[in-house]
């Protein structure tokens, strides 16, 4: 059609070329496999141009067009472009071609004259390179976005083991490469990649189709196949594949090149044999106006001689009713083509308006292709209430629709939109639940690893082929197909082998209800009760010789310290807390220090009572200050405990135990050095007691405190010497019980050795617990000992009891004098 501004059109009206050899050896090339759908696409351009002219959008200018057939072949497209009769005025811009490999070749040729080219379907990312293809633009997004959209679909349905079918073309190689890149980043693997010859007349096509069928049927784990082949490729592939039952009922993810194609002829097969077909398609436009254009189309071939493609089509359908012819054309409408082609026409029209606003483009100041190319890059054009413009790479990122094929009584519906993909946000939004049932289809190399397991890649296999390895103890995974197991917080949590979560450890400590603790507390209560009973007995018989000879006030103080020692045992059981941890060792240390200090005072009393050297005795009398000695001994322990509490105070702590399901709650002494110093201080005092008492072990039988002190200190030393290594090596719930046992044995040793024999005399030998009994023994026995020159007593035969009675009475007097 003529016009002031001519737009070129390049459409693959035929799907392939047929090459035959002439008798003279030259080749004859003819286009074959006429595509009604591509004819309809060329009519979309015609309609869009007529709409612009009808609405006088260019003022006094009109658009014309010159449309050529590329025959889906690069060589034919270049020949037709070069050798076609140039219209007057010349072509300023070209719309087309649909295929990327053709557009790549043609845009290089057009760029020699700076003629801009706007494709409505060439989506290869190579064409976004403006250094190599400065004249190329398109009203569709590039294929990297489509690859991302397909990956979103696969991830949505958890399909990670898929097959890929593509073609040996710029489009096929590029989009397959981009899909592989995105698949690798999302742990999706290709079980096989079949590459078909792009040219349909290639003699190797049948061989490659057979190889592809074999790949599909032998990979039984592959239920999902992504295809970037052309419609004719898919026709041949389906008709061969469906012959084998293993190739049926697959899920096919179609790229935009065939997802909405109506040219696929399934012969005797139907959609249910194929399985499920859905795929990405370019954004759809409003086809209402174009459908009306087709309804009003003059179907008389003689009236369409300016359009040879339409003329041939109408000639073929000349005998059909008008409505039938129109219906055939309307069924071949691709909604995406309506948007993409109309946008291309609108972009050119807007660029012409922008350039010709203040100039006469009709006669004297005609447009140049280079001018139009620059104006197109900056143009903002409108359609259906929306604004559009090319980005810096000459692309128009309109997004994608996801369509699902549906079987109808007469044909297959390829226009049912189930989801949208936004390039800007990279979000896949489903607007229909029609694909929800496909989530039950499993297309994986390996079964999913359940929570509690992690994926372990098999040697030499793709990342999608793996083994499921259970998480080790104290590790977990809580997601399907986890690549790693996460460590539990082993301080408070645990997990068994193959766990999907961590469990809180049970807190263990020496509970009040524990049988061992109950037994120890029973002995503690008994010891405390015996201590009180002994105290009552002593107070009730306060003025008797036995109590007086035992230094009564010191004994009461000793009994009080023993009672506090028994009380300290209680603090070693139950749930630890800060105050309890600080109090238990301090209370024991102070109370037992008081206990040993009292015993030490009694030991010094023995030395004083039986020292007969006057000079030594005078010195001992001056030094023997019982309460001062006790106070000094206690002060030393108070200082040690105060430093311990202020510098490194004991506190509650946690520790793992052999049973991984538990954690020990215990009192941490923090500083074992200070703990040792406290015990060592008591040990030094006990050692002094032991040394003094050991010296007086052969004293008279009526006063045998020295022997009992020696024995009680021996018990103390044995217990605490054993306690040291046991306390350091033993860990667990019953560690406090070890110290409880040692304290109880020490306390019971002192209680029994110091008081039980005396209570026996007080209660059951009352006749021996009187002053007259002591005097009677003096009168009954004569003094048969003489004093030698060294001041030592020497006994004569037959007088073995006299000296003992004298010493006992002397001791009684000394005790009363000093206390």
């Amino acid at each position: 059609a003529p016009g002031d501004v001519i737009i070129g059109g390049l459409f693959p009206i035929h799907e392939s070329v047929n090459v035959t050899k002439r008798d003279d050896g030259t080749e004859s090339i003819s286009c074959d496999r006429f595509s009604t759908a591509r004819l309809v696409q060329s009519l979309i351009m015609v309609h869009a141009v007529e709409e612009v002219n009808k609405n006088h959008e260019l003022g006094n200018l009109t658009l014309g067009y010159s449309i050529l057939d590329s025959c889906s072949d690069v060589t034919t497209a270049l020949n037709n472009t070069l050798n076609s009769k140039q219209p007057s005025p010349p072509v300023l811009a070209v719309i087309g071609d649909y295929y990327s490999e053709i557009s790549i070749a043609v845009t290089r040729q057009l760029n020699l004259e700076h003629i801009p080219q706007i494709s409505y379907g060439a989506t290869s990312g190579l064409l976004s390179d403006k250094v190599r293809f400065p004249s190329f633009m398109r009203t569709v997004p590039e294929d990297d976005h489509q690859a991302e959209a397909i990956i979103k679909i696969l991830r949505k349905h958890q399909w990670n083991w898929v097959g890929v079918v593509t073609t040996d073309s710029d489009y096929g190689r590029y989009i397959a490469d981009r899909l592989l890149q995105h698949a690798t980043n999302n742990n999706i693997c290709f079980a096989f990649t079949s590459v078909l010859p792009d040219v349909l007349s290639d003699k190797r096509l049948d061989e490659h189709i057979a190889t592809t069928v074999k790949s599909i049927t032998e990979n039984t784990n592959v239920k999902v196949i992504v295809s970037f082949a052309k419609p004719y490729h898919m026709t041949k592939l389906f008709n061969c594949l469906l012959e084998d039952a293993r190739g049926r009922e697959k899920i096919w993810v179609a790229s935009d090149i065939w997802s909405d194609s109506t040219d696929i002829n399934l012969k005797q097969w139907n959609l249910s044999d194929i399985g499920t077909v859905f795929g990405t398609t370019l954004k759809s436009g409003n086809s209402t106006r174009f459908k009306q254009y087709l309804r009003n189309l003059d179907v008389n071939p003689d009236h369409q001689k300016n359009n040879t493609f339409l003329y041939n089509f109408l000639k073929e359908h000349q005998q059909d009713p008008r409505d039938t012819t129109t219906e055939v054309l309307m069924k071949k409408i691709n909604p995406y083509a309506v948007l993409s082609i109309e946008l291309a026409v609108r972009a050119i029209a807007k660029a012409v308006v922008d350039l010709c606003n203040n100039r006469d483009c009709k006669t004297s100041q005609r447009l140049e292709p280079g001018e139009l190319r620059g104006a197109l890059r900056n143009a903002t054009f409108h359609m259906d209430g929306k604004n559009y413009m090319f980005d810096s790479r000459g692309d128009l990122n309109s997004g994608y629709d996801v369509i699902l094929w549906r079987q109808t009584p007469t044909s297959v519906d390829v226009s049912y939109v189930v989801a949208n993909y936004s390039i800007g946000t990279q979000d896949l939004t489903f607007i229909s639940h029609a694909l929800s049932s496909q989530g039950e289809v499993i297309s994986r190399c390996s079964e999913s690893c359940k929570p509690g397991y992690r994926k372990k890649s098999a040697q030499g296999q793709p990342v999608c082929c793996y083994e499921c390895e259970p998480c080790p103890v104290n590790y977990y995974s809580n997601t399907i197909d986890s690549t790693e197991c996460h460590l539990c917080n082993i301080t408070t949590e645990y997990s068994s082998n193959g766990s999907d979560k961590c469990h809180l450890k049970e807190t263990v400590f020496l509970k009040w209800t524990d049988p061992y603790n109950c037994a120890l507390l029973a002995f503690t209560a008994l010891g405390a009760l015996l201590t009180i009973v002994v105290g009552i007995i002593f107070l009730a018989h306060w003025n008797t010789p036995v109590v007086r000879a035992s230094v009564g006030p010191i004994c009461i103080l000793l009994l009080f310290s023993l009672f506090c020692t028994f009380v300290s045992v209680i603090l070693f059981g139950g749930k630890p807390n800060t105050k309890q941890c600080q109090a238990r060792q301090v209370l024991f240390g102070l109370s037992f220090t008081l206990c040993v200090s009292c015993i030490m005072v009694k030991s010094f009393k023995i030395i004083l009572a039986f020292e007969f050297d006057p000079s030594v005795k005078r010195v001992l009398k001056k030094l023997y200050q019982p309460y001062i000695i006790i106070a000094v001994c206690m002060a030393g322990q108070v200082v040690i405990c105060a430093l311990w509490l202020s510098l490194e105070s004991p506190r509650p702590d946690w520790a793992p135990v052999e049973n991984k399901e538990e954690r020990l709650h215990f009192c941490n002494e923090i500083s074992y050095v200070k703990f040792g110093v406290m015990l060592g201080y008591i040990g030094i005092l006990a050692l002094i007691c032991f040394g003094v008492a050991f010296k007086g072990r052969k004293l008279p039988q009526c006063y045998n405190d020295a022997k009992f002190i020696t024995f009680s200190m021996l018990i103390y030393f044995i217990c605490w010497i054993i306690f040291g290594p046991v306390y350091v090596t033993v860990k667990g719930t019953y560690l406090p019980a070890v110290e409880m046992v040692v304290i109880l044995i020490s306390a019971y040793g002192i209680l029994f050795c110091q008081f039980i024999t005396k209570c026996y005399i007080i209660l059951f030998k009352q006749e021996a617990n009187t002053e007259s009994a002591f005097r009677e023994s003096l009168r009954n026995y004569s003094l048969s000992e003489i004093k030698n020159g060294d001041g030592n007593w020497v006994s004569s035969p037959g007088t073995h009891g006299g000296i003992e009675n004298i010493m006992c009475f002397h001791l009684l007097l000394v005790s009363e004098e000093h206390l």
Side-chain angles (χ1 to χ4, degrees), residues 444-738:
R444 307 175 69 90
C445 179
S446 303
E447 291 291 330
S448 294
C449 290
K450 300 181 295 184
Y453 291 78
R454 72 176 183 90
K455 296 193 296 185
K456 181 182 179 182
S457 296
Q459 188 70 25
Q461 293 293 321
V463 68
C464 303
C465 300
Y466 48 80
E467 299 172 353
C468 294
E469 183 180 69
C471 292
V473 173
N474 287 334
Y475 285 79
Y476 74 99
S477 66
N478 56 3
T479 58
I480 296 175
D481 286 335
S482 176
T483 56
E484 61 180 9
C485 296
H486 308 288
L487 179 64
C488 296
N489 181 355
I490 57 175
T491 304
T492 59
E493 298 173 333
Y494 78 96
S495 69
S496 55
N497 195 51
S499 292
D500 61 354
K501 62 181 177 180
C502 295
H503 304 276
L504 283 176
K505 289 183 177 181
E506 180 185 357
T507 300
V508 293
F509 51 86
L510 191 59
K511 295 185 172 74
W512 296 115
T513 55
D514 189 283
Y516 295 99
N517 193 33
C518 291
L520 292 174
L521 290 177
F523 280 106
T524 301
L526 178 61
L529 181 62
L530 288 175
T531 302
I532 294 172
V533 171
V534 170
I536 293 172
I537 292 173
F538 266 56
L539 289 174
H541 300 83
W542 185 257
N543 293 318
T544 61
V546 171
V547 176
R548 288 157 57 196
S550 300
V551 193
I554 297 297
C555 284
I556 296 300
L557 196 58
L558 176 57
L559 287 169
F560 172 74
S561 67
L562 281 175
F563 180 80
C564 292
T565 300
F566 282 117
V567 171
S568 71
V569 174
I570 301 173
L571 299 178
F572 285 84
K575 187 176 182 179
N577 59 68
T578 302
K579 291 183 178 179
Q580 176 187 346
C581 293
Q582 293 173 347
R584 64 177 194 169
Q585 297 290 8
V586 172
L587 180 59
F588 162 69
L590 294 177
S591 62
F592 209 76
T593 299
L594 178 60
C595 178
V596 176
S597 299
C598 292
I599 295 173
M600 187 172 65
V601 167
K602 293 182 69 176
S603 302
F604 284 143
K605 179 196 69 175
I606 297 170
I607 299 297
L608 178 60
F610 294 100
E611 180 58 59
F612 297 106
D613 188 334
S615 60
V616 175
K617 191 163 188 171
R618 280 195 299 271
V619 174
L620 290 176
K621 281 187 176 181
K622 290 180 180 179
L623 294 177
Y624 185 65
Q625 302 294 329
Y627 297 112
I628 294 177
I629 292 173
I630 291 172
V632 170
C633 292
M634 286 295 293
Q637 190 67 284
V638 168
V639 170
I640 293 171
C641 291
L643 289 173
W644 187 8
L645 291 177
S646 60
L647 297 178
E648 293 178 294
S649 177
R651 63 171 181 265
D653 206 348
W654 304 87
V657 293
E658 290 185 4
N659 185 349
K660 302 298 183 182
E661 300 178 6
E662 299 174 345
R663 63 171 181 158
L664 178 65
H665 197 22
F666 71 104
C667 284
N668 190 344
E669 313 302 350
I670 304 300
S671 175
Y672 285 101
V673 173
K674 294 179 177 60
F675 182 39
V677 170
M678 184 194 79
L679 295 179
Y681 184 79
I682 299 174
I684 292 171
L685 297 180
L687 190 62
I688 295 172
C689 291
F690 177 78
V692 174
F694 185 79
K695 186 177 180 181
R697 69 190 182 282
K698 294 182 179 179
L699 293 179
Q701 293 296 326
C702 73
Y703 189 79
N704 53 9
D705 257 13
K707 293 181 181 179
F708 288 124
I709 291 174
T710 302
F711 187 64
S712 63
M713 290 300 102
L714 275 175
I715 294 173
Y716 168 80
F717 284 130
I718 291 171
C719 290
W720 287 95
I721 288 171
I722 295 174
F723 167 78
V726 172
Y727 190 81
V728 171
T729 56
V730 173
K731 302 294 180 184
T733 307
Y734 294 106
L735 181 60
V738 175

Side-chain angles (χ1 to χ4, degrees), residues 165-169 194-198 205 208-209 212 229 233 237:
V165 178
T166 188
T167 59
D168 185 21
S169 63
S194 294
V195 181
L196 303 177
D198 184 60
L205 180 59
H208 283 79
I209 290 288
T212 302
H233 289 114
L237 178 58

Side-chain angles (χ1 to χ4, degrees), residues 778-796:
L778 289 173
R779 286 194 296 270
N780 292 338
Y781 293 91
S782 60
L783 182 60
S784 58
E785 301 291 338
I786 61 174
K787 192 176 185 183
N788 62 16
D790 295 329
N792 293 323
W793 290 91
V794 180
S795 60
S796 299

